[in-house]
Amino acid sequence: MEEFMKNNIAVIGLSVMGKNLALNIADKGYKVSVFNRTTSVMEEMIKNFPHQNIQGKKTLKELVESLEKPRKIIIMVKAGGAVDSVINQLLEFVKKDDIIIDGGNSFFKDSERRYKTLKEKNINFFGVGISGGEEGARKGPAIMPGGDKEAYNEIKKILEDISAKVNGNPCINYTSTGGAGHYVKMVHNGIEYGDMEIIAESYYILKNIGGFTNQQISDIFAKFNKGKLKSYLIDITSKILKVKDPDADGYLIDKILDKSGQKGTGKWTTIQGADLGSCISVISSALNARYMSSIKDTRILAEKEFKKNEYQKFADREKLITMVENSLYTAKIISYAQGFSLLRQAEKEYSWTFNYADIAKIFRGGCIIQAKFLQNIIEAYQNNPKLENLVFDTFFKEEIKKNIDSLRELTLLAIKNELPIMTFTSALSYFDTLKTARLSANMIQAQRDYFGAHTFNRIDKQGVFHYDWLKNN
Ligand code: NBP
């Protein structure tokens, strides 16, 4: 086939994500070859979603041969062994400089491995985090590509064209090499866990301590969405709270079982925080809150055993609304400060080079954590690309100073009421720890030296010391 008649890109895996991504690419004027392991799935797609720019292929050989060089192939199959299996099969047909893109939710270490293995074979591998689910894939996702910087120029335009746009700017930026794109996606998902949980805790406080109805809380969130908290998640929270139960009296939110699920990316982020020694307590508390929610039977038993007091209503309801708004905002700043600190740590650990303003720009559209507040993060890193921690940025420093008392007062109020707020307390404790120059860790060091002769440093002289605590006690 003449090169000019060939297709521009291929998509392998035509389940929810692959199908919609292929249609999105085709809509942008690119010619797309599509393939699915089970051929009938491909044939169904061609039949049900006919598109002049899409051609179905029954074999990987046909698929690869239908593409212009360097070939660009997006894999959208189940993360894990399926990705390796597809890559191994492709290796028979791809040639030097061809580009294999994994757009699934792969673990970053797998992407790092695939990048290195394929580089040795002169094949470019990109691990690309794609956020936004089915609708994002179809209409414009947030895209986090990681791979070789030079090869990125070959796929940049297509990926920019299919991405979400904010004020005309594509929600995509090159991240760094190897598994960097999937790492950023993983941290994005962790941040999403934190955002969701602080919103859920806010709703719970407004309901139980504020005594507001669902409709009133919906209106409160709608008002929040006009200010500094303007974001996709605040918006959908307001909308969720308005929905009446279609099958019975009352509101749907009150009928939903309080057990939350998770697919594992928040867990990956938490494990990474531990692996790199980076405190991401808001994200890990949000994950723990989901685990706690899932042990419903144990919670029912514990509530009976320990008797839960009635929540005391807070008299000044307007003040409570302001406290919740400020607390949500402050905890969000702290959560993002933790997430971006983890990225900084990973940059060193995995020898990546990150542009944090560019990373924040990706999140502005097409994904769950899109928010007005990301503009402030972009500006913070534009002002100082090496910012040690977001809390030191001039804007955020002032915002925290203005709002931290609300978070402290709200946390106290919730604790007095025995109302669970795992992420709010984590955010506050992180901040209090961060701004304490001398901590209690001298006691930890003494204990470690007492039972394990682990030694300690002193504040008044250089060196490593051990004290014979047993002999002298
Ligand atoms: P799934 O994750 O449900 O995977 C189904 C696809 O993988 C089918 O095309 C299936 O082919 C193919 N596949 C499997 Br399973 N094993 C295979 C193998 N050994 N060789 C070749 N193909 C194989 O699809 P999805 O929900 O579209 O998600 C795709 C990726 O995008 C995943 O990594 C997912 O985590 C990620 N993601 C999904 C969402 C979402 O909202 N769904 C959002 C963001 C990211 P078959 O038809 O022959 O079984």
Side-chain angles (χ1 to χ4, degrees):
M1 203 194 299
E2 296 287 341
E3 196 69 10
F4 70 89
M5 291 171 72
K6 291 195 167 179
N7 291 337
N8 307 112
I9 193 161
V11 176
I12 296 175
L14 302 175
S15 193
V16 185
M17 291 296 283
K19 178 183 73 189
N20 283 294
L21 205 67
L23 287 165
N24 180 358
I25 301 171
D27 277 352
K28 301 299 177 303
Y30 296 100
K31 296 208 172 301
V32 191
S33 302
V34 294
F35 170 89
N36 195 77
R37 177 182 61 176
T38 309
T39 306
S40 59
V41 173
M42 177 275 286
E43 289 168 340
E44 282 286 297
M45 175 187 165
I46 299 291
K47 191 170 128 220
N48 297 332
F49 302 90
H51 197 296
Q52 58 172 0
N53 288 342
I54 296 185
Q55 282 177 5
K57 302 290 172 192
K58 289 186 178 169
T59 66
L60 284 175
K61 183 172 188 291
E62 253 188 278
L63 182 94
V64 174
E65 286 174 353
S66 71
L67 299 175
E68 64 182 12
K69 289 176 186 157
R71 285 120 169 179
K72 301 160 203 75
I73 302 164
I74 303 182
I75 301 174
M76 291 302 289
V77 303
K78 195 171 160 57
V83 178
D84 288 314
S85 165
V86 172
I87 291 175
N88 285 337
Q89 292 173 62
L90 279 174
L91 281 176
E92 198 182 324
F93 312 112
V94 289
K95 297 262 161 20
K96 183 175 177 295
D97 297 334
D98 285 349
I99 301 170
I100 296 178
I101 301 162
D102 173 19
N105 259 347
S106 292
F107 185 50
F108 79 96
K109 284 192 178 168
D110 287 335
S111 302
E112 198 74 6
R113 169 179 54 79
R114 290 166 187 147
Y115 171 76
K116 285 180 181 149
T117 311
L118 291 179
K119 204 175 177 59
E120 286 166 13
K121 300 179 194 298
N122 290 315
I123 306 294
N124 289 298
F125 175 81
F126 279 83
V128 178
I130 298 183
S131 180
E134 180 177 359
E135 190 172 325
R138 184 69 184 89
K139 296 183 182 159
I143 307 181
M144 296 146 247
D148 191 79
K149 181 89 171 118
E150 275 174 39
Y152 180 61
N153 291 326
E154 293 286 346
I155 54 171
K156 185 171 185 261
K157 175 129 184 19
I158 298 185
L159 294 184
E160 282 185 357
D161 286 350
I162 62 165
S163 73
K165 309 285 180 307
V166 170
N167 304 325
N169 298 308
C171 295
I172 172 170
N173 274 310
Y174 173 78
T175 58
S176 194
T177 56
H182 279 130
Y183 197 93
V184 171
K185 170 71 176 12
M186 178 194 74
V187 174
H188 156 284
N189 283 26
I191 286 174
E192 178 184 312
Y193 271 55
D195 273 354
M196 289 171 72
E197 182 62 25
I198 53 177
I199 291 173
E201 289 173 10
S202 300
Y203 145 73
Y204 204 65
I205 291 169
L206 288 167
K207 179 184 164 85
N208 292 301
I209 299 183
F212 292 105
T213 63
N214 288 322
Q215 183 58 52
Q216 286 168 331
I217 304 172
S218 167
D219 294 342
I220 292 167
F221 275 99
K223 194 163 158 259
F224 288 173
N225 202 38
K226 292 197 167 77
K228 57 195 176 194
L229 287 169
K230 184 174 169 46
S231 60
Y232 171 77
L233 279 170
I234 295 285
D235 182 41
I236 66 163
T237 303
S238 167
K239 289 175 175 155
I240 287 167
L241 283 157
K242 276 196 293 209
V243 174
K244 299 268 174 54
D245 185 343
D247 302 323
D249 285 344
Y251 286 78
L252 185 56
I253 188 71
D254 295 327
K255 312 290 173 59
I256 297 176
L257 184 67
D258 53 329
K259 283 168 84 166
S260 50
Q262 54 109 14
K263 278 195 187 165
T265 39
K267 187 174 91 179
W268 284 350
T269 321
T270 299
I271 293 170
Q272 259 302 292
D275 278 350
L276 302 194
S278 186
C279 174
I280 46 164
S281 55
V282 178
I283 295 171
S284 32
S285 295
L287 179 70
N288 283 326
R290 290 196 189 189
Y291 293 150
M292 290 294 289
S293 79
S294 71
I295 52 162
K296 174 93 176 168
D297 292 345
T298 315
R299 288 189 287 113
I300 291 171
L301 180 67
E303 184 173 313
K304 268 195 209 126
E305 290 291 331
F306 296 101
K307 187 178 168 303
K308 193 164 182 75
N309 290 323
E310 287 273 301
Y311 295 124
Q312 297 297 306
K313 297 287 175 282
F314 190 73
D316 190 344
R317 297 172 100 202
E318 280 308 309
K319 184 179 172 193
L320 185 72
I321 295 171
T322 307
M323 269 160 55
V324 169
E325 185 177 23
N326 293 343
S327 300
L328 252 175
Y329 185 58
T330 316
K332 191 174 165 81
I333 295 171
I334 292 167
S335 175
Y336 281 65
Q338 293 182 347
F340 277 80
S341 292
L342 175 61
L343 286 174
R344 262 185 77 94
Q345 200 61 31
E347 183 181 25
K348 288 182 220 149
E349 179 76 18
Y350 303 113
S351 307
W352 292 325
T353 307
F354 282 147
N355 179 319
Y356 297 101
D358 279 356
I359 290 174
K361 279 182 194 167
I362 304 175
F363 302 153
R364 283 183 304 177
C367 66
I368 307 293
I369 66 170
Q370 55 186 283
K372 179 182 168 184
F373 146 102
L374 286 161
Q375 187 54 36
N376 301 117
I377 298 187
I378 294 165
E379 285 162 18
Y381 285 111
Q382 280 171 341
N383 290 338
N384 179 4
K386 298 277 168 227
L387 191 63
E388 176 65 27
N389 185 306
L390 261 187
V391 303
F392 295 127
D393 167 68
T394 315
F395 172 80
F396 284 120
K397 190 164 65 186
E398 288 313 308
E399 290 299 303
I400 291 174
K401 284 181 181 172
K402 262 193 279 176
N403 295 300
I404 194 72
D405 288 347
S406 282
L407 178 58
R408 203 173 296 286
E409 204 178 332
L410 191 76
T411 303
L412 281 170
L413 184 65
I415 289 173
K416 269 196 217 154
N417 267 284
E418 303 171 20
L419 184 144
I421 44 159
M422 291 180 73
T423 49
F424 273 139
T425 44
S426 295
L428 185 61
S429 294
Y430 172 86
F431 179 67
D432 286 342
T433 306
L434 186 69
K435 70 180 183 75
T436 300
R438 177 147 174 89
L439 286 171
S440 55
N442 48 336
M443 177 54 74
I444 304 290
Q445 287 301 85
Q447 289 167 341
R448 292 178 69 236
D449 191 55
Y450 192 114
F451 61 69
H454 291 298
T455 72
F456 53 87
N457 300 119
R458 294 180 56 108
I459 56 172
D460 54 351
K461 48 186 173 186
Q462 289 290 317
V464 177
F465 299 88
H466 168 63
Y467 182 74
D468 196 344
W469 303 89
L470 284 174
K471 189 173 159 204
N472 296 300
N473 255 310

